[in-house]
Structures are given as structure tokens and as C-alpha cells.
Amino acid sequence: MKLSTKGRYGLRALVDLALNSREEAVCIQSIAGRQNISESYLEQLMRLLRKAGLIKSVRGAGGGYQLAKPAEAISVGDVLRALEGNLEAVECGAFQKEHPCEGADVCVTKYVWKRINDGICQAVDSIMLAELVEESRRIQDSHRGTIANVCSK
Amino acid sequence: MKLSTKGRYGLRALVDLALNSREEAVCIQSIAGRQNISESYLEQLMRLLRKAGLIKSVRGAGGGYQLAKPAEAISVGDVLRALEGNLEAVECGAFQKEHPCEGADVCVTKYVWKRINDGICQAVDSIMLAELVEESRRIQDSHRGTIANVCSK
DNA sequence: AATAAATCCGACATAAATACTCGGAATTAG
DNA sequence: CTAATTCCGAGTATTTATGTCGGATTTATT
């Protein structure tokens, strides 16, 4: 029941990207350096984010990445789903029409799973990347001069 | 980001136990049979639930398990935590005094993790075993005569 | 044109967690 | 005494998580 490093690193990387790219693209090396993430691993995560249409890449020397849309239009849910797949704690499908679970009609735990899943969605879909970026700027201002070491989570 | 079979099977088993034990204890074999769970695996889960003080066991022939307290006093959160450990999607500790994460003061994703964790807690701690049992009885009544096959989740 | 800096891609490797299984000891009702 | 149980620790196979690596491709710069 844990979020993997993909989701954790990836979200941090995306906040970093939003924070550090104006016009120019930001390369993996610099993000990985600031965020203390392995370059080759981060590369994989960026691939996932690009495939999901959240960032766009610029190839070749001087290349890197940029957000594909404004940070206001990217939710934490978008990011985590791109990296982790769907965020359902239990994929029971009892409330879907497509692939409903066998015996869903005699199942009571389905109510539990739905409440958990809804709780998670509510949390991740209500936070936009822009809010994190904004908060991050505030923090950076107040820590000016301090070496900003990074959270390991 | 998935709940393991421990949590899923274990909760079902506990609902089954609450539903099928009046005065007498219920043995693993019968729960496992109804719920279509391996006996030896379920045994392990029952051990965890017992260690957590949610059920009590009666050893020897004719023995089995009973709830250690009324179903009204057992939350889904109690059950899942007994089986899965803490349910935090990210154990960042940024808001604890004990073992706060390094660099928590420059971290912004901590707000995200907290919202997710709170969402999950809110969901699991607000549902009592008794509610599931009650709902289950209603369902059983309406399906009387039907073979109650069981949800695989 | 050559070089260096990047992304892109697939495959591989290792470690950890998950999901069981098993054998036997201890307990107790009949 | 026997059979039905729980109790316990250890073992195993599979899957998932967490990276690593080598090389192809693209592009800015010199």
C-alpha cells in the first residue's frame, strides 16, 4: 500500500522542472542533480511523463524538457497516474459496467474499496502542480542562502 | 499502490467470522471454504488479527475464532492496519516530531503525501465492521437460495 | 564535417516484497 | 487415545520494484 519511487521521484522532478524552466528546456542531469535522483532512472520517469503528454522534450545538445501545458492544468493525480498506473488501492471493478468483478452483488468489501479509492482520487485530483510550485517558491525565498538539501521521499 | 491479498482476504474473513459466529467459535477451514481462500494462508492472517487483539482463538478440537470485541468497535482501519502495517502511501514523517524526514522544511510534496494519507485514514476509520456485517445480512436475505459465490478481490 | 550534449529505447540485473506451502508441536473435546 | 484444531517458524516460487547499461538518434556549436 505504498507509493513507489516512481511516483515520489517523478512528482518531485516535475515540480523541479516547473520551477526551473522558463523559456529554455531543462536537462535530466540538472534535475537529477538538484533532486538527488539517479540520472538513468529519472530518464525512464521522464519518458513516462512524456508519453502521458505532461511534458515535451527537446532533443539534441542544449535540449531537455518543458511542461507540455501550464502547471495550473496539471493535477498531482495526472502525474501519479502517469507514473504508477491507476491509483486504485483495490481494482475490484464492482462499480464498473465494463469488467465487473464476479460475485460483486454478494460482496460487501467493495464499499470499502470504493471509499478508499475515492479518498485517494479526491486527494490527488484536487491538488494542482501550480500550487506546489507556488509553495515551493515561497519556501525557496525564505531559505535564501541556505543550501537546499532535498527530501528523500 | 495496491492493497495486498492480506488486507483483502483478511477483511473478508473477518466479516465472514462476524457473520457466522454466534456463541461458538468458527474454524479456519469453514471460513476458508466459504471465502475461497487457502487454509494455510488464512491461518497466517488470523494470527496477525489475533496478535492485534481483534479476534481471540479457542484451541483444540471444536476450536476456532471469535471476535475479541463487538463488531461495532472494530474499524476497517483496525483490520487493514493489523494485516498490512500502517496504511500510509508515503511514510514521509514530515509532520511527526519523532523521526522527521531530512529536508522536510524545503519539501513541498509532503503536503501531497499528507492529503493522500489523510484521505485513506478518513475512509478506513469511518467504516465499522458492524456496518459491513449488517449490509452483508441484507444481501444474504435477498439472495436466499442462490449459491453465494464470492468476490475474488 | 566533426564533436559533444542531449534525448530515446530496450534489455538486463539485483533486491525486495508478495503469496503462499509445509511439517510438526501444542491443545482440547469426545 | 484419537481426531480436530490452533500455533509457529521456516522455506519457496513468483512478481514487483529499483535501478543500470550500451548504444542509437538528434541537434547546437565549433
Side-chain angles (χ1 to χ4, degrees), chain B residues 27-28 43-44 47 50 57 59 65:
Chain B
C27 69
I28 281 183
E43 195 180 293
Q44 287 200 335
R47 228 190 287 184
R50 184 174 53 81
S57 61
R59 300 187 64 174
Y65 297 90

Side-chain angles (χ1 to χ4, degrees), chain A residues 15 18-19 22 31 35 46 51 57 59 74 85 90 92 98 107 111 116-117 126 135 137 140 144 146 149:
Chain A
V15 172
L19 213 50
R22 293 209 171 281
I31 298 177
Q35 297 294 325
M46 298 306 268
K51 280 180 186 165
S57 61
R59 302 188 63 173
I74 299 177
V90 176
C92 89
E98 297 297 315
C107 172
Y111 300 113
I116 296 176
N117 291 342
S126 65
E135 179 64 20
R137 271 199 247 273
Q140 281 196 344
R144 189 165 300 164
T146 314
N149 62 340

Side-chain angles (χ1 to χ4, degrees), chain B residues 47-62:
Chain B
R47 228 190 287 184
L48 292 172
L49 293 170
R50 184 174 53 81
K51 280 181 185 163
L54 301 178
I55 61 180
K56 57 190 174 191
S57 61
V58 180
R59 300 187 64 174

Side-chain angles (χ1 to χ4, degrees), chain B residues 108-130:
Chain B
V108 293
T109 52
K110 68 183 174 191
Y111 300 113
V112 175
W113 314 144
K114 176 154 174 45
R115 296 257 291 259
I116 296 176
N117 292 341
D118 287 351
I120 293 169
C121 287
Q122 170 63 28
V124 299
D125 292 331
S126 65
I127 310 177
M128 291 293 153
L129 188 57

